[in-house]
């Protein structure tokens, strides 16, 4: 969403300087006011063009972006910050969509193969000049291993936007979200957009179930807890496969069997909204988990999920 033309940035950078130029000319030499107005319009247009955020993504063409900073979260998880071409540049990525990252990956036989994978940034267009990716590296993951080996100053190839889901304020009354592992990234993007939009009238309620193996595997927990503390309309519920002693959250994998047998009542009544026309369920995680959840949501009364989700679907899998 573009910044309003009456925002402070445009007043400070364009309107006020232009007004001062014209007003000063009236005081010093009134007959030059017309020229001053023309000059103010010209300079204002140039300044306006410079400070308006420039979208850099192209859905058809890969562009290269340089790794600016790498923040290690754990032995196999890091946040990668990539620089955009200018301090005012933005990806131009709608909320809920993702980017494609491509790289030439060496194969076991010594040949090279172009591999493309999809990722959702954890940053947004309200943060110009860079974008952040949260990536977990897997031993068999082509792109994730490639990212883990990047040094600051090296580049990646990116194109987009991609994806069928685009968030708009108040598109539903209530979101039920279920994420596993790095599947938290599109959920976090949507949640942050909703909370940022509260002042503009976004009243969307969100309940998020976030499944992991151990407490150490819960990515961005501090961020999620801070958002839940800040906004009463957002609630996060953690599920662990291997919980520590005294754990009060959900236990087990978030699959059809575990939901039905172990914490089905919580899942249906406490943690997710009941099926309704103004309710949407969002899913993102490992394929076996998503496959099981599609069946389970249907058994709970939600509309049957398609093999490939579309925006209008009640149950949408990223």
């Amino acid at each position: 969403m573009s910044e309003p033309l009456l925002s402070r940035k445009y007043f400070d950078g364009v309107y006020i300087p232009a007004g001062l130029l014209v007003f000063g000319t009236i005081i010093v030499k009134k007959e030059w006011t017309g020229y001053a107005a023309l000059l103010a319009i010209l300079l204002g247009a140039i300044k306006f063009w410079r400070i308006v955020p420039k979208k850099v993504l192209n859905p058809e063409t890969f562009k290269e972006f340089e790794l600016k900073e790498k923040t290690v979260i754990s032995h196999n998880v890091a946040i990668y910050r990539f620089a955009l071409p200018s301090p005012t540049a933005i990806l131009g990525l709608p909320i809920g969509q993702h980017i494609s990252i491509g790289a030439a990956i060496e194969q076991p036989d010594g040949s090279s193969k172009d591999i493309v994978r999809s990722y959702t940034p954890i940053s947004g267009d309200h943060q110009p000049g860079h974008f952040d990716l949260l990536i977990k590296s897997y031993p068999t993951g082509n792109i994730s291993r490639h990212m883990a080996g990047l040094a600051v100053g090296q580049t990646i190839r990116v194109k987009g936007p991609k994806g069928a889901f685009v968030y708009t304020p108040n598109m539903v009354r209530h979101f039920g979200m279920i994420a596993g592992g790095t599947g938290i990234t599109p959920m976090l993007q949507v949640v942050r957009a909703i909370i940022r939009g509260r002042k503009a009238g976004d009243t969307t309620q969100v309940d998020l179930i976030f499944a992991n193996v151990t407490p150490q595997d819960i990515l961005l927990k501090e961020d999620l807890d801070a958002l839940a503390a800040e906004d009463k309309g957002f609630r996060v519920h953690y599920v662990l496969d291997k919980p520590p002693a005294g754990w009060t959250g959900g236990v087990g994998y978030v699959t059809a069997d575990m939901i039905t047998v172990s914490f089905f009542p919580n899942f249906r009544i406490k943690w997710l909204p009941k099926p309704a026309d103004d309710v949407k369920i969002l899913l993102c995680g490992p394929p076996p988990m998503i496959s099981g959840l599609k069946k389970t949501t249907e058994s709970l009364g939600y509309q049957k999920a398609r093999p490939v989700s579309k925006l209008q679907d009640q149950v949408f899998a990223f």
Side-chain angles (χ1 to χ4, degrees):
M1 185 169 56
S2 59
E3 196 163 354
L5 293 178
L6 296 181
S7 68
R8 178 70 181 270
K9 180 173 71 174
Y10 294 124
F11 267 100
D12 291 348
V14 179
Y15 308 142
I16 292 177
L20 289 174
L21 175 61
V22 174
F23 184 71
T25 303
I26 292 173
I27 294 175
V28 176
K29 206 169 182 71
K30 190 175 182 180
E31 59 269 29
W32 287 4
T33 301
Y35 298 109
L38 289 174
L39 181 60
I41 292 172
L42 176 61
L43 294 177
I46 294 173
K47 186 66 179 290
F48 184 84
W49 182 84
R50 286 178 176 174
I51 66 177
V52 169
K54 308 297 189 302
K55 297 180 180 180
V56 300
L57 278 180
N58 186 315
E60 304 299 331
T61 306
F62 279 106
K63 294 188 176 183
E64 291 198 355
F65 300 99
E66 181 181 320
L67 180 61
K68 180 180 178 182
E69 185 180 337
K70 179 179 177 179
T71 303
V72 176
I73 305 299
S74 69
H75 71 283
N76 63 349
V77 178
I79 295 175
Y80 302 83
R81 174 163 291 185
F82 293 91
L84 294 176
S86 74
T88 59
I90 59 174
L91 276 179
L93 187 70
I95 300 300
Q97 295 207 302
H98 55 265
I99 58 176
S100 294
I101 296 178
I105 304 297
E106 185 176 347
Q107 302 301 298
D109 61 2
S111 63
S112 182
K113 183 179 179 181
D114 284 333
I115 304 293
V116 178
R117 294 290 184 269
S118 297
Y119 291 92
T120 303
I122 58 172
S123 56
D125 286 349
H126 62 293
Q127 300 165 295
H130 69 269
F131 66 95
D132 296 339
L133 296 173
L134 173 73
I135 296 180
K136 184 174 184 178
S137 178
Y138 296 94
T140 58
N142 286 305
I143 295 297
S144 66
R145 284 190 296 113
H146 174 75
M147 295 289 290
L150 284 180
V152 171
Q154 292 185 303
T155 62
I156 60 168
R157 295 188 297 129
V158 174
K159 69 178 180 179
K162 303 287 184 180
F165 184 87
V166 177
Y167 176 74
T168 54
N170 296 311
M171 63 187 295
V172 294
R173 173 180 56 83
H174 200 152
F175 277 119
M177 301 178 173
I178 310 176
T182 53
I184 192 63
T185 54
M187 309 302 187
L188 182 62
Q189 189 187 67
V190 173
V191 168
R192 283 176 169 166
I194 290 170
I195 294 176
R196 285 198 307 272
R198 293 297 192 208
K199 291 183 179 179
D202 196 332
T203 61
T204 309
Q205 296 289 301
V206 181
D207 278 276
L208 164 67
I209 296 176
F210 190 17
N212 290 277
V213 179
T214 69
Q216 292 72 34
D217 296 315
I218 302 176
L219 302 173
L220 302 172
K221 187 175 187 299
E222 290 184 3
D223 298 68
L224 292 168
D225 289 344
L227 290 170
E230 170 191 347
D231 191 275
K232 293 181 180 179
F234 169 58
R235 294 160 293 276
V236 57
H237 316 281
Y238 299 106
V239 176
L240 295 180
D241 178 45
K242 298 178 180 178
W247 175 253
T248 58
V251 176
Y253 293 105
V254 186
T255 63
D257 289 342
M258 290 305 300
I259 289 169
T260 303
V261 176
S262 184
F263 57 93
F264 168 80
N266 282 337
F267 181 89
R268 183 183 64 181
I269 299 170
K270 284 187 179 180
W271 287 355
L272 293 187
K274 295 179 180 179
D277 291 340
D278 54 1
V279 162
K280 188 182 286 288
I281 303 299
L282 303 180
L283 310 175
C284 192
M289 171 183 165
I290 300 306
S291 178
L293 287 172
K294 284 183 175 181
K295 297 174 183 176
T296 300
T297 51
E298 183 182 4
S299 72
L300 294 174
Y302 299 97
Q303 295 172 11
K304 183 178 180 179
R306 304 179 204 237
V308 178
S309 297
K310 296 187 177 181
L311 180 60
Q312 65 267 30
D313 293 352
Q314 187 177 47
V315 177
F316 184 97
F318 287 98

